[in-house]
Short mmCIF file of all heavy atoms in Angstrom, two decimals:
data_model
loop_
_atom_site.label_atom_id
_atom_site.label_comp_id
_atom_site.label_asym_id
_atom_site.label_seq_id
_atom_site.Cartn_x
_atom_site.Cartn_y
_atom_site.Cartn_z
N GLU A 1 0.87 -1.22 -0.04
CA GLU A 1 -0.06 0.05 -0.07
C GLU A 1 0.77 1.17 0.05
O GLU A 1 0.58 2.16 -0.85
CB GLU A 1 -1.01 -0.07 1.16
CG GLU A 1 -1.92 -1.06 1.21
CD GLU A 1 -2.71 -1.13 2.58
OE1 GLU A 1 -2.11 -0.86 3.66
OE2 GLU A 1 -3.88 -1.55 2.59
N LEU A 2 1.94 1.27 0.87
CA LEU A 2 2.75 2.31 0.97
C LEU A 2 3.63 2.60 -0.43
O LEU A 2 3.66 3.74 -0.91
CB LEU A 2 3.75 2.16 2.11
CG LEU A 2 4.61 3.32 2.53
CD1 LEU A 2 3.73 4.63 2.67
CD2 LEU A 2 5.19 3.22 3.81
N ARG A 3 4.01 1.45 -1.03
CA ARG A 3 4.73 1.54 -2.27
C ARG A 3 3.72 2.23 -3.40
O ARG A 3 4.27 3.07 -4.11
CB ARG A 3 5.22 0.13 -2.70
CG ARG A 3 6.03 0.21 -3.85
CD ARG A 3 6.54 -1.17 -4.16
NE ARG A 3 7.49 -1.60 -3.08
CZ ARG A 3 7.58 -2.82 -2.57
NH1 ARG A 3 6.78 -3.75 -3.01
NH2 ARG A 3 8.36 -3.16 -1.72
N ALA A 4 2.55 1.78 -3.36
CA ALA A 4 1.57 2.32 -4.43
C ALA A 4 1.41 3.78 -4.15
O ALA A 4 1.38 4.59 -4.96
CB ALA A 4 0.21 1.60 -4.31
N TYR A 5 1.27 4.23 -2.81
CA TYR A 5 0.94 5.65 -2.54
C TYR A 5 2.24 6.42 -2.99
O TYR A 5 2.07 7.47 -3.59
CB TYR A 5 0.90 5.78 -0.98
CG TYR A 5 0.60 7.09 -0.49
CD1 TYR A 5 -0.68 7.64 -0.58
CD2 TYR A 5 1.64 8.01 -0.13
CE1 TYR A 5 -0.89 9.02 -0.16
CE2 TYR A 5 1.55 9.24 0.13
CZ TYR A 5 0.21 9.92 0.23
OH TYR A 5 0.11 11.11 0.53
N VAL A 6 3.41 5.94 -2.64
CA VAL A 6 4.66 6.63 -2.99
C VAL A 6 4.80 6.76 -4.66
O VAL A 6 5.10 7.87 -5.03
CB VAL A 6 5.92 5.96 -2.50
CG1 VAL A 6 7.18 6.61 -3.08
CG2 VAL A 6 6.01 6.19 -1.03
N LEU A 7 4.43 5.82 -5.36
CA LEU A 7 4.48 5.94 -6.74
C LEU A 7 3.54 6.93 -7.19
O LEU A 7 3.81 7.54 -8.31
CB LEU A 7 4.09 4.58 -7.46
CG LEU A 7 5.33 3.51 -7.24
CD1 LEU A 7 4.91 2.17 -7.69
CD2 LEU A 7 6.57 4.02 -7.87
N GLU A 8 2.36 7.16 -6.63
CA GLU A 8 1.42 8.25 -6.98
C GLU A 8 1.71 9.54 -6.43
O GLU A 8 1.28 10.45 -6.95
CB GLU A 8 -0.04 7.72 -6.47
CG GLU A 8 -0.55 6.52 -7.19
CD GLU A 8 -1.95 6.18 -6.83
OE1 GLU A 8 -2.59 7.00 -6.02
OE2 GLU A 8 -2.38 5.03 -7.01
N HIS A 9 2.47 9.62 -5.34
CA HIS A 9 2.81 10.93 -4.82
C HIS A 9 4.35 10.99 -4.60
O HIS A 9 4.81 10.98 -3.52
CB HIS A 9 2.16 11.03 -3.32
CG HIS A 9 0.70 10.78 -3.38
ND1 HIS A 9 0.18 9.70 -3.31
CD2 HIS A 9 -0.36 11.83 -3.52
CE1 HIS A 9 -1.30 9.69 -3.41
NE2 HIS A 9 -1.54 11.19 -3.61
N ARG A 10 5.05 11.08 -5.75
CA ARG A 10 6.65 10.95 -5.63
C ARG A 10 7.22 12.15 -4.87
O ARG A 10 8.48 11.99 -4.68
CB ARG A 10 7.05 10.84 -7.13
CG ARG A 10 6.64 9.63 -7.76
CD ARG A 10 6.97 9.64 -9.18
NE ARG A 10 6.52 8.46 -9.95
CZ ARG A 10 7.22 7.36 -10.20
NH1 ARG A 10 8.49 7.40 -9.98
NH2 ARG A 10 6.73 6.29 -10.87
N ASN A 11 6.52 13.11 -4.73
CA ASN A 11 7.14 14.36 -3.94
C ASN A 11 6.79 14.30 -2.45
O ASN A 11 7.20 15.21 -1.89
CB ASN A 11 6.65 15.65 -4.73
CG ASN A 11 7.15 15.81 -5.98
OD1 ASN A 11 8.28 15.29 -6.29
ND2 ASN A 11 6.36 16.37 -6.93
N ASP A 12 6.17 13.28 -2.02
CA ASP A 12 5.82 13.17 -0.54
C ASP A 12 7.03 12.60 0.25
O ASP A 12 7.12 11.32 0.32
CB ASP A 12 4.53 12.47 -0.29
CG ASP A 12 4.00 12.45 0.91
OD1 ASP A 12 4.74 12.73 1.96
OD2 ASP A 12 2.76 12.26 1.18
N ASP A 13 7.90 13.53 0.63
CA ASP A 13 9.07 12.97 1.41
C ASP A 13 8.80 12.20 2.66
O ASP A 13 9.34 11.18 3.05
CB ASP A 13 9.94 14.16 1.76
CG ASP A 13 10.54 14.84 0.57
OD1 ASP A 13 10.66 14.20 -0.49
OD2 ASP A 13 10.86 16.02 0.72
N GLU A 14 7.55 12.53 3.22
CA GLU A 14 7.24 11.74 4.45
C GLU A 14 6.89 10.34 4.12
O GLU A 14 7.29 9.36 4.84
CB GLU A 14 6.06 12.49 5.17
CG GLU A 14 5.64 11.77 6.45
CD GLU A 14 4.42 12.47 7.04
OE1 GLU A 14 3.85 13.47 6.54
OE2 GLU A 14 3.83 11.97 7.99
N ALA A 15 6.17 10.15 3.03
CA ALA A 15 5.86 8.83 2.54
C ALA A 15 7.00 8.04 2.16
O ALA A 15 7.13 6.77 2.42
CB ALA A 15 4.75 8.86 1.51
N ILE A 16 7.92 8.70 1.53
CA ILE A 16 9.10 8.06 0.93
C ILE A 16 10.04 7.62 2.26
O ILE A 16 10.54 6.46 2.33
CB ILE A 16 10.03 8.95 0.07
CG1 ILE A 16 9.24 9.15 -1.19
CG2 ILE A 16 11.31 8.34 -0.17
CD1 ILE A 16 9.67 10.19 -2.01
N ARG A 17 10.18 8.34 3.21
CA ARG A 17 10.80 8.08 4.48
C ARG A 17 10.17 6.92 5.11
O ARG A 17 10.82 5.89 5.55
CB ARG A 17 10.89 9.21 5.38
CG ARG A 17 12.25 9.90 5.44
CD ARG A 17 12.36 11.01 6.48
NE ARG A 17 12.50 12.30 5.79
CZ ARG A 17 11.54 13.13 5.53
NH1 ARG A 17 10.35 13.03 5.89
NH2 ARG A 17 11.80 14.28 4.92
N ALA A 18 8.74 6.93 5.24
CA ALA A 18 8.07 5.76 5.81
C ALA A 18 8.32 4.57 5.13
O ALA A 18 8.48 3.52 5.81
CB ALA A 18 6.61 6.11 5.92
N LEU A 19 8.39 4.56 3.79
CA LEU A 19 8.63 3.31 2.97
C LEU A 19 10.04 2.73 3.27
O LEU A 19 10.24 1.55 3.54
CB LEU A 19 8.44 3.56 1.58
CG LEU A 19 8.63 2.43 0.64
CD1 LEU A 19 7.83 1.23 0.97
CD2 LEU A 19 8.41 2.81 -0.89
N PHE A 20 11.02 3.68 3.24
CA PHE A 20 12.34 3.33 3.48
C PHE A 20 12.53 2.68 4.87
O PHE A 20 13.44 1.93 5.17
CB PHE A 20 13.51 4.41 3.31
CG PHE A 20 13.73 4.58 1.85
CD1 PHE A 20 13.48 5.82 1.24
CD2 PHE A 20 14.32 3.63 1.07
CE1 PHE A 20 13.84 6.01 0.01
CE2 PHE A 20 14.73 3.89 -0.28
CZ PHE A 20 14.44 5.04 -0.76
N HIS A 21 11.85 3.29 5.77
CA HIS A 21 12.05 2.78 7.28
C HIS A 21 10.83 1.76 7.69
O HIS A 21 10.67 1.56 8.89
CB HIS A 21 12.03 4.10 8.16
CG HIS A 21 13.25 4.80 7.92
ND1 HIS A 21 13.34 5.81 7.12
CD2 HIS A 21 14.58 4.76 8.50
CE1 HIS A 21 14.43 6.41 6.99
NE2 HIS A 21 15.21 5.79 7.93
N HIS A 22 10.15 1.16 6.76
CA HIS A 22 9.05 0.42 7.08
C HIS A 22 9.56 -0.89 7.78
O HIS A 22 10.73 -1.49 7.37
CB HIS A 22 8.26 -0.18 5.89
CG HIS A 22 6.96 -0.87 6.33
ND1 HIS A 22 6.95 -2.01 6.65
CD2 HIS A 22 5.80 -0.26 6.07
CE1 HIS A 22 5.71 -2.31 6.76
NE2 HIS A 22 4.94 -1.35 6.62
N PRO A 23 9.10 -1.23 8.99
CA PRO A 23 9.78 -2.26 9.85
C PRO A 23 9.89 -3.73 9.11
O PRO A 23 10.77 -4.46 9.60
CB PRO A 23 8.80 -2.48 11.08
CG PRO A 23 7.63 -1.69 10.59
CD PRO A 23 7.81 -0.85 9.55
N THR A 24 9.19 -3.96 8.09
CA THR A 24 9.28 -5.30 7.50
C THR A 24 10.43 -5.23 6.47
O THR A 24 10.76 -6.35 5.88
CB THR A 24 7.97 -5.69 6.83
OG1 THR A 24 7.51 -4.75 5.89
CG2 THR A 24 6.97 -5.85 7.97
N LEU A 25 10.91 -4.31 6.02
CA LEU A 25 11.88 -4.08 5.05
C LEU A 25 13.35 -4.11 5.72
O LEU A 25 13.48 -3.48 6.81
CB LEU A 25 11.64 -2.91 4.09
CG LEU A 25 10.41 -2.81 3.44
CD1 LEU A 25 10.43 -1.53 2.61
CD2 LEU A 25 10.39 -3.93 2.37
N LYS A 26 14.19 -4.64 5.05
CA LYS A 26 15.65 -4.59 5.55
C LYS A 26 16.17 -3.11 5.13
O LYS A 26 15.79 -2.55 4.07
CB LYS A 26 16.48 -5.51 4.81
CG LYS A 26 16.16 -6.90 5.19
CD LYS A 26 17.07 -7.89 4.35
CE LYS A 26 16.72 -9.26 4.86
NZ LYS A 26 17.46 -10.24 4.10
N TYR A 27 16.92 -2.50 6.06
CA TYR A 27 17.43 -1.25 5.65
C TYR A 27 18.42 -1.24 4.54
O TYR A 27 19.36 -2.01 4.49
CB TYR A 27 18.10 -0.70 7.02
CG TYR A 27 17.23 -0.09 8.06
CD1 TYR A 27 16.76 -0.78 9.02
CD2 TYR A 27 16.78 1.21 7.81
CE1 TYR A 27 15.90 -0.30 10.00
CE2 TYR A 27 15.89 1.72 8.77
CZ TYR A 27 15.49 1.11 9.79
OH TYR A 27 14.58 1.44 10.77
N VAL A 28 18.21 -0.27 3.77
CA VAL A 28 19.23 0.09 2.63
C VAL A 28 19.73 1.51 2.73
O VAL A 28 18.80 2.31 2.77
CB VAL A 28 18.60 -0.25 1.21
CG1 VAL A 28 19.58 0.18 0.12
CG2 VAL A 28 18.11 -1.69 1.13
N THR A 29 20.92 1.64 3.02
CA THR A 29 21.42 3.02 3.17
C THR A 29 21.30 3.67 1.88
O THR A 29 21.90 3.22 0.85
CB THR A 29 22.86 3.01 3.65
OG1 THR A 29 22.89 2.33 4.91
CG2 THR A 29 23.29 4.56 3.93
N MET A 30 20.62 4.84 1.70
CA MET A 30 20.42 5.65 0.56
C MET A 30 21.21 6.88 0.72
O MET A 30 21.18 7.52 1.81
CB MET A 30 19.06 5.86 0.17
CG MET A 30 18.18 4.58 0.02
SD MET A 30 18.81 3.62 -1.41
CE MET A 30 18.12 4.66 -2.82
N PRO A 31 21.80 7.37 -0.39
CA PRO A 31 22.41 8.80 -0.29
C PRO A 31 21.36 9.85 -0.23
O PRO A 31 20.27 9.57 -0.53
CB PRO A 31 23.24 8.80 -1.67
CG PRO A 31 22.45 7.93 -2.52
CD PRO A 31 21.92 6.83 -1.70
N PRO A 32 21.73 11.03 0.27
CA PRO A 32 20.83 12.13 0.42
C PRO A 32 20.16 12.50 -1.00
O PRO A 32 20.89 12.39 -2.14
CB PRO A 32 21.55 13.28 0.95
CG PRO A 32 22.99 13.05 0.64
CD PRO A 32 23.08 11.38 0.55
N MET A 33 18.95 12.91 -1.00
CA MET A 33 18.34 13.29 -2.20
C MET A 33 18.53 14.76 -2.47
O MET A 33 18.30 15.18 -3.72
CB MET A 33 16.75 12.92 -2.20
CG MET A 33 16.34 11.61 -1.93
SD MET A 33 16.85 10.48 -3.30
CE MET A 33 17.64 9.16 -2.46
N PHE A 34 18.90 15.50 -1.57
CA PHE A 34 19.07 16.91 -1.64
C PHE A 34 20.26 17.38 -1.08
O PHE A 34 20.81 16.90 -0.15
CB PHE A 34 17.86 17.75 -1.09
CG PHE A 34 16.60 17.36 -1.78
CD1 PHE A 34 15.75 16.41 -1.34
CD2 PHE A 34 16.13 18.02 -2.93
CE1 PHE A 34 14.58 16.04 -1.83
CE2 PHE A 34 14.94 17.78 -3.49
CZ PHE A 34 14.14 16.74 -2.96
N THR A 35 20.99 18.46 -1.64
CA THR A 35 22.07 19.05 -0.89
C THR A 35 21.59 19.87 0.38
O THR A 35 20.37 20.13 0.44
CB THR A 35 22.72 20.13 -1.88
OG1 THR A 35 21.89 21.04 -2.12
CG2 THR A 35 23.14 19.34 -3.25
N GLU A 36 22.54 20.39 1.08
CA GLU A 36 22.22 21.17 2.20
C GLU A 36 21.35 22.39 1.79
O GLU A 36 20.70 22.93 2.62
CB GLU A 36 23.37 21.41 3.04
CG GLU A 36 23.94 20.20 3.77
CD GLU A 36 25.09 20.69 4.58
OE1 GLU A 36 25.36 21.87 4.97
OE2 GLU A 36 25.84 19.76 5.05
N GLU A 37 21.74 22.93 0.60
CA GLU A 37 20.99 24.20 0.06
C GLU A 37 19.66 23.75 -0.43
O GLU A 37 18.98 24.68 -0.85
CB GLU A 37 21.82 24.74 -0.96
CG GLU A 37 23.19 25.27 -0.52
CD GLU A 37 24.26 24.28 -0.32
OE1 GLU A 37 24.04 23.29 -1.10
OE2 GLU A 37 25.13 24.45 0.47
N GLY A 38 19.18 22.56 -0.45
CA GLY A 38 17.91 22.20 -1.00
C GLY A 38 17.88 21.78 -2.45
O GLY A 38 16.76 21.61 -2.93
N GLN A 39 19.05 21.77 -3.08
CA GLN A 39 18.95 21.40 -4.52
C GLN A 39 18.94 19.86 -4.67
O GLN A 39 19.75 19.23 -4.00
CB GLN A 39 20.30 22.02 -5.21
CG GLN A 39 20.35 23.47 -5.20
CD GLN A 39 19.44 24.13 -5.89
OE1 GLN A 39 18.95 23.69 -7.01
NE2 GLN A 39 18.62 25.22 -5.32
N PRO A 40 18.15 19.48 -5.64
CA PRO A 40 18.07 17.97 -5.86
C PRO A 40 19.37 17.27 -6.35
O PRO A 40 20.12 18.09 -7.17
CB PRO A 40 16.96 17.75 -6.82
CG PRO A 40 16.59 19.06 -7.31
CD PRO A 40 17.25 20.20 -6.48
N ILE A 41 19.72 16.19 -5.85
CA ILE A 41 20.85 15.53 -6.48
C ILE A 41 20.37 14.43 -7.41
O ILE A 41 20.00 13.34 -6.94
CB ILE A 41 21.66 14.79 -5.30
CG1 ILE A 41 22.08 15.85 -4.30
CG2 ILE A 41 23.02 14.13 -5.91
CD1 ILE A 41 22.79 15.46 -2.94
#
């Protein structure tokens, strides 16, 4: 359900974080999506 929501709401950072930290998933360290200045990487 969360994956489907994220695919429909790709700019929802809260949902993306929730998916990455879902308790049933193994952690995968992902690099930052934005620079400290807020620019997308």
Side-chain angles (χ1 to χ4, degrees):
E1 292 169 335
L2 191 50
R3 188 176 291 139
Y5 180 88
V6 166
L7 289 172
E8 291 179 18
H9 302 89
R10 293 175 186 258
N11 294 326
D12 189 335
D13 292 337
E14 182 183 357
I16 293 169
R17 255 185 247 104
L19 180 58
F20 277 122
H21 293 91
H22 197 278
T24 63
L25 297 176
K26 294 180 182 175
Y27 278 95
V28 176
T29 303
M30 299 298 287
M33 299 296 130
F34 299 91
T35 65
E36 290 183 14
E37 295 79 29
Q39 297 297 316
I41 303 171

